[in-house]
Amino acid sequence: MSRASLDKDPHEVAAMFDGVADGYDRANSFMTFGFDRRWRTTTARVLDARRGEKVLDLAAGTGVSTVEYARGGAWCLAADFSFGMLRAGLHRQVPMVAADALNLPFADESFDAVTISLALRNFVDTKAALTEIARVVKPGGRLVICEVSTPPFAPIRFIHRRFMLKLLTWVGKRTSSNPEAYSYLAESMLAWPDQRTLGEIIASAGWADVEWLNLTFGVVAIHRARKPA
């Protein structure tokens, strides 16, 4: 299979993640020097999922983030477009379902919150997905997105972009049956909008009170928003 293009054909993207599912969590931790765990912990604090709430962890992969979000007692559902990712996470004690972010199989106003971790950039249409997500969130409900971003300090931005591209390519060649998948991931990072631009896209999809928090010098950012009541 060829690497999924930045045009993000959904079937190519799903097949790409199917092919790297078994070692994906280990590779993520390696490539981020373990910072992925800190990012999940911070995202969980921002999400603040509480007992009695229903939370959709969209593009959850193997469900490693879903487990983190469920620690406070909320009912958290892991949803992903890749069957391979879901199969790789079946050992985790969280409910899982296959779902397309642009056509979610849920009724209107089903969830108190939706969260996406390091996966929004893989959606074929970002604004359409955010609009569809708003449909399944209750009025006043929350959206929390943890995604790669743009370090605001120019020297760090330069080093990060050069370093990540080479590291992802190196890891892919040595650990994956589909090395080109990691080249795609690096390219998708470079093509992704900065914090303010993503915030504007979120607002244009109908979300209110959009704000963001930079993590690790802005290498990653958490965006939070609310569905208008």
Side-chain angles (χ1 to χ4, degrees):
M1 185 200 72
S2 62
R3 184 177 78 240
S5 72
L6 290 178
D7 291 334
K8 300 184 183 69
D9 177 272
H11 300 291
E12 286 191 0
V13 172
M16 180 189 70
F17 281 104
D18 286 346
V20 300
D22 289 339
Y24 188 72
D25 291 334
R26 291 190 301 273
N28 259 356
S29 291
F30 176 80
M31 290 182 293
T32 63
F33 300 100
F35 276 100
D36 61 317
R37 299 184 185 92
R38 298 186 185 183
W39 298 336
R40 281 196 299 272
T41 300
T42 304
T43 302
R45 287 203 299 266
V46 173
L47 178 63
D48 192 24
R50 302 174 182 179
R51 189 174 301 278
E53 289 189 323
K54 293 182 178 180
V55 177
L56 174 62
D57 186 10
L58 187 57
T62 65
V64 63
S65 55
T66 319
V67 173
E68 184 74 33
Y69 305 148
R71 295 189 191 280
W75 184 82
C76 297
L77 174 65
D80 201 278
F81 194 53
S82 165
F83 287 99
M85 283 288 190
L86 294 172
R87 280 194 294 267
L90 286 177
H91 62 285
R92 297 198 164 94
Q93 301 302 307
V94 291
M96 293 185 165
V97 65
D100 179 356
L102 272 69
N103 188 21
L104 293 171
F106 310 114
D108 295 355
E109 302 178 5
S110 298
F111 296 95
D112 297 284
V114 174
T115 180
I116 307 166
S117 293
L118 301 175
L120 182 62
R121 69 185 187 279
N122 297 317
F123 295 171
V124 65
D125 188 327
T126 302
K127 182 178 178 180
L130 292 168
T131 302
E132 173 67 355
I133 291 166
R135 178 185 66 79
V136 304
V137 174
K138 298 175 183 177
R142 312 184 299 284
L143 172 69
V144 176
I145 298 169
C146 178
E147 187 53 272
V148 299
S149 201
T150 304
F153 188 48
I156 293 177
R157 183 167 63 247
F158 175 81
I159 294 170
H160 170 254
R161 292 191 168 193
R162 287 293 184 90
F163 175 74
M164 282 304 300
L165 182 59
K166 291 182 179 179
L167 177 61
L168 282 167
T169 303
W170 184 87
V171 169
K173 287 180 179 178
R174 286 159 179 78
T175 66
S176 175
S177 59
N178 182 14
E180 290 189 334
Y182 287 88
S183 295
Y184 158 79
L185 290 172
E187 291 169 15
S188 70
M189 291 179 184
L190 296 177
W192 190 244
D194 64 14
Q195 292 88 324
R196 180 171 296 279
T197 304
L198 178 56
E200 291 171 352
I201 295 171
I202 294 170
S204 72
W207 295 89
D209 301 332
V210 181
E211 53 189 352
W212 62 85
L213 171 69
N214 285 331
L215 303 180
T216 319
F217 304 106
V219 168
V220 163
I222 295 175
H223 282 71
R224 177 172 63 181
R226 178 184 57 82
K227 180 177 177 178

